[in-house]
Amino acid sequence: MKTMYHFHSQYTSLIALAAIGIALFSPSASADVIVTEHYTIQIEHPGFRMSVVTPTGVALPADTTTGLSFLGSRTVSSKRLSQADDATTYRVTNGDEETALVRFVTKPQTIELTVTLENARSGNISMRTGSPGPAYGLGDHGGWEKNANVAATQKTYSIQHNGHGKRWLSSFLIFPQQGAAGACFERKNGEVSIGPDYYQMANTSTSEQNFYYFIGSMEEIYAAWRETRIAEGYPGVAPKMDGFELGFETWDLLRWNTTAATCQEAIQSFLDHGYNIRWAVTGSGYWQERGTTVSFGQYDFAKYPDTSAPLPPDFGDWCAERNIRWMIGQRTNFVTVGGPHSSKPGQSGARIFDTSPDSQAGLDKGFFLKDSNGKVVERTSTTFPTVPCYLLDGNVPGAAAWFKERYDIWGVDGVKEDTMMATPDHTIFNAPMRAIAESGDLVMARCGAYSSPGTLTRVNDTFGAKSMTLRCPINYLQYAASGAPNVYSDTVGFGGMDDVVSTMR
């Protein structure tokens, strides 16, 4: 996209704006103006305060005081270093005389702004504009608000994975009335501030950060967002129609009392009453005692008999005969070496857990998440398993393929992923689940970032009518606004399904 650049010239800036039909503001003499075929970027000084204007209006207004800040201080001056058809670079200086390079890359619907700190420094980098108006998105962070419009009150969201209600994360915000959106990609230090006062994206600890802004119609913005996600390493998953059919999940009805017999009885009751069940999740208890979801292939054959090798058990054949896809609960955490381990008194779930069969292999291959010092991270779930675990790092080359090979030993048709451990890096889940989905199996994903790694994205547990009527509609909307529209609401009754089945008998 050919771009025209104008520097310190009010007269030429106004001519350029008129040429594309914009007469909505008058840039000051101290402003830089970047004019493209689709939008115009204006940068006001001091503060490096950015606004974006289209032929139909102001898409992103400038903040009144602050634009780019880094290392704890706002930008006070800038100098243009270079320009090309679609790019321009500045060196900026903040109030503490620290410097950074700022590079704009312009595409028809995308503005990519890259800030790189100089002098081998690392710290906070943030970019602020004025508040464009009503805003939607932010994945789970937006899903727990009382108002779907997250710009109703000023608030800062730390984009962090907490292992419970905030496990599908996104920085993406869309402003539909203005035809604008924004996002930044980071792995553990992201923040988004939004409200009536301003809109700001930040990384609290980095040496370089990309900020993306999207301009255009809703169709154009979401197409550009998809293209950007793929380029950043977060492609989506093609939908599978089986996943949108009526399904059955064991947890609400059976809790830990899952066996082939109890599952078949419950599913058959629904089938007999005309419910066209097309998938069934066995969420718990199918593994051998003291095992977990990563005890690959180690079924509890007393609960799930297997009269004909190889795996899976006969329950898989029973489901296949009825055109039902059998899915299992699946997590990506491995019980640490040195087991068996005992959970602390008062914690739920099994009290003793063996070391996962592949834990040592994962350590040897370097497939588990490490901290900034190179030490393998250990986390303990408050739900299951309640002992220290390693977390698969799907960003490590080869880790997703290795996990997929291990998962294949189960011999099932898909998974309900439900890893419940807080992690400093929210991007580790996408690749392993996507590998399973791309192989043809169904994936109901709970954890992930920026794009859904599953055919469906599961909202957090729904507790009866209050949760379904108040939280879920907002949660659904925020997922869709973030670019993940295929949503599963999890259990509906949550503890009441036994009454339903009793009346069906």
Side-chain angles (χ1 to χ4, degrees):
M1 177 176 64
K2 187 174 182 180
T3 305
M4 297 172 285
Y5 297 87
H6 302 273
F7 185 70
H8 293 289
S9 174
Q10 182 180 19
Y11 179 75
T12 54
S13 295
L14 288 173
I15 291 177
L17 292 173
I20 59 172
I22 299 177
L24 298 171
F25 71 98
S26 297
S28 68
S30 63
D32 291 323
V33 178
I34 303 172
V35 180
T36 78
E37 297 177 41
H38 301 275
Y39 52 80
T40 295
I41 303 170
Q42 177 171 306
I43 302 167
E44 294 278 359
H45 305 289
F48 210 77
R49 295 177 292 116
M50 183 185 75
S51 62
V52 181
V53 178
T54 71
T56 58
V58 178
L60 291 169
D63 186 70
T64 57
T65 60
T66 302
L68 175 63
S69 297
F70 56 98
L71 298 175
S73 178
R74 75 165 186 160
T75 298
V76 295
S77 64
S78 67
K79 179 181 180 182
R80 187 181 57 179
L81 299 181
S82 64
Q83 67 181 57
D85 281 349
D86 301 321
T88 188
T89 302
Y90 298 89
R91 173 171 283 112
V92 297
T93 304
N94 69 10
D96 294 328
E97 298 186 352
E98 299 284 355
T99 61
L101 297 177
V102 179
R103 185 170 187 261
F104 284 93
V105 175
T106 57
K107 300 178 182 179
Q109 269 70 54
T110 306
I111 302 167
E112 181 179 352
L113 192 161
T114 303
V115 182
T116 306
L117 303 184
E118 295 191 300
N119 303 318
R121 296 299 301 272
S122 181
N124 179 283
I125 300 175
S126 65
M127 189 65 192
R128 178 184 296 188
T129 69
S131 180
Y136 307 89
L138 296 182
D140 279 329
H141 285 281
W144 290 87
E145 295 297 333
K146 295 181 180 179
N147 192 325
N149 170 22
V150 294
T153 58
Q154 194 70 41
K155 186 174 180 178
T156 296
Y157 300 86
S158 295
I159 310 300
Q160 295 180 344
H161 182 108
N162 68 3
H164 294 286
K166 297 172 183 176
R167 285 185 277 167
W168 189 79
L169 309 182
S170 181
S171 59
F172 184 81
L173 271 182
I174 191 160
F175 306 91
Q177 293 182 7
Q178 283 67 36
C184 61
F185 294 88
E186 39 65 45
R187 293 177 62 167
K188 58 183 178 180
N189 299 307
E191 287 185 352
V192 175
S193 301
I194 185 63
D197 300 329
Y198 61 87
Y199 168 44
Q200 177 173 293
M201 295 184 286
N203 190 321
T204 61
S205 180
T206 187
S207 59
E208 181 175 274
Q209 182 63 45
N210 287 351
F211 300 102
Y212 291 94
Y213 299 93
F214 305 94
I215 309 297
S217 68
M218 295 299 96
E219 294 85 355
E220 290 170 334
I221 286 174
Y222 280 109
W225 172 228
R226 177 180 180 274
E227 179 182 316
T228 301
R229 292 200 317 263
I230 293 173
E232 287 279 356
Y234 301 96
V237 172
K240 299 178 181 64
M241 293 311 299
D242 286 357
F244 298 96
E245 299 290 348
L246 187 64
F248 171 82
E249 185 174 344
T250 61
W251 176 251
D252 187 52
L253 176 65
L254 302 172
R255 293 298 193 265
W256 292 97
N257 185 31
T258 54
T259 67
T262 58
C263 290
Q264 288 169 203
E265 179 185 4
I267 295 170
Q268 190 62 54
S269 294
F270 282 102
L271 292 173
D272 291 343
H273 282 78
Y275 292 95
N276 193 27
I277 303 296
R278 284 293 166 260
W279 53 263
V281 174
T282 302
S284 59
Y286 55 86
W287 52 82
Q288 293 177 11
E289 187 176 358
R290 295 171 34 166
T292 70
T293 68
V294 294
S295 301
F296 298 109
Q298 296 184 2
Y299 283 101
D300 186 333
F301 292 111
K303 294 181 177 181
Y304 292 85
D306 179 29
T307 58
S308 60
L311 299 172
D314 297 344
F315 180 67
D317 294 333
W318 185 89
C319 288
E321 290 168 0
R322 289 156 180 79
N323 198 26
I324 296 171
R325 300 191 72 172
W326 181 23
M327 303 167 67
I328 59 172
Q330 183 68 72
R331 299 181 179 184
T332 59
N333 48 272
F334 294 69
V335 178
T336 58
V337 297
H341 304 280
S342 297
S343 57
K344 295 179 180 179
Q347 290 181 312
S348 61
R351 301 298 298 273
I352 300 177
F353 297 87
D354 289 329
T355 295
S356 299
D358 297 292
S359 289
Q360 188 60 56
L363 286 173
D364 294 342
K365 294 175 181 294
F367 287 159
F368 297 141
L369 182 67
K370 297 179 181 178
D371 62 20
S372 57
N373 296 318
K375 182 180 179 181
V376 176
V377 172
E378 296 184 12
R379 289 288 186 269
T380 301
S381 173
T382 59
T383 305
F384 182 88
T386 50
V387 293
C389 291
Y390 310 125
L391 287 163
L392 182 75
D393 186 350
N395 293 315
V396 175
W402 175 74
F403 186 84
K404 168 63 168 54
E405 290 174 356
R406 311 312 301 157
Y407 154 78
D408 283 342
I409 299 173
W410 285 124
V412 293
D413 301 314
V415 298
K416 172 192 172 184
E417 182 274 321
D418 196 27
T419 307
M420 297 185 68
M421 293 183 175
T423 170
D425 186 340
H426 50 264
T427 68
I428 62 176
F429 303 98
N430 286 50
M433 290 301 109
R434 191 171 66 245
I436 295 174
E438 289 176 344
S439 74
D441 285 2
L442 297 179
V443 173
M444 187 187 299
R446 180 66 189 96
C447 303
Y450 308 116
S451 64
S452 175
T455 294
L456 299 173
T457 304
R458 182 179 75 86
V459 303
N460 214 59
D461 296 336
T462 52
F463 295 87
K466 182 178 179 180
S467 182
M468 286 296 292
T469 57
L470 295 180
R471 175 173 67 86
C472 283
I474 293 177
N475 218 149
Y476 297 162
L477 176 62
Q478 306 299 32
Y479 278 13
S482 303
N486 302 325
V487 183
Y488 169 59
S489 62
D490 200 71
T491 52
V492 177
F494 213 94
M497 285 300 293
D498 51 349
D499 296 331
V500 174
V501 174
S502 295
T503 60
M504 290 170 59
R505 292 169 180 161

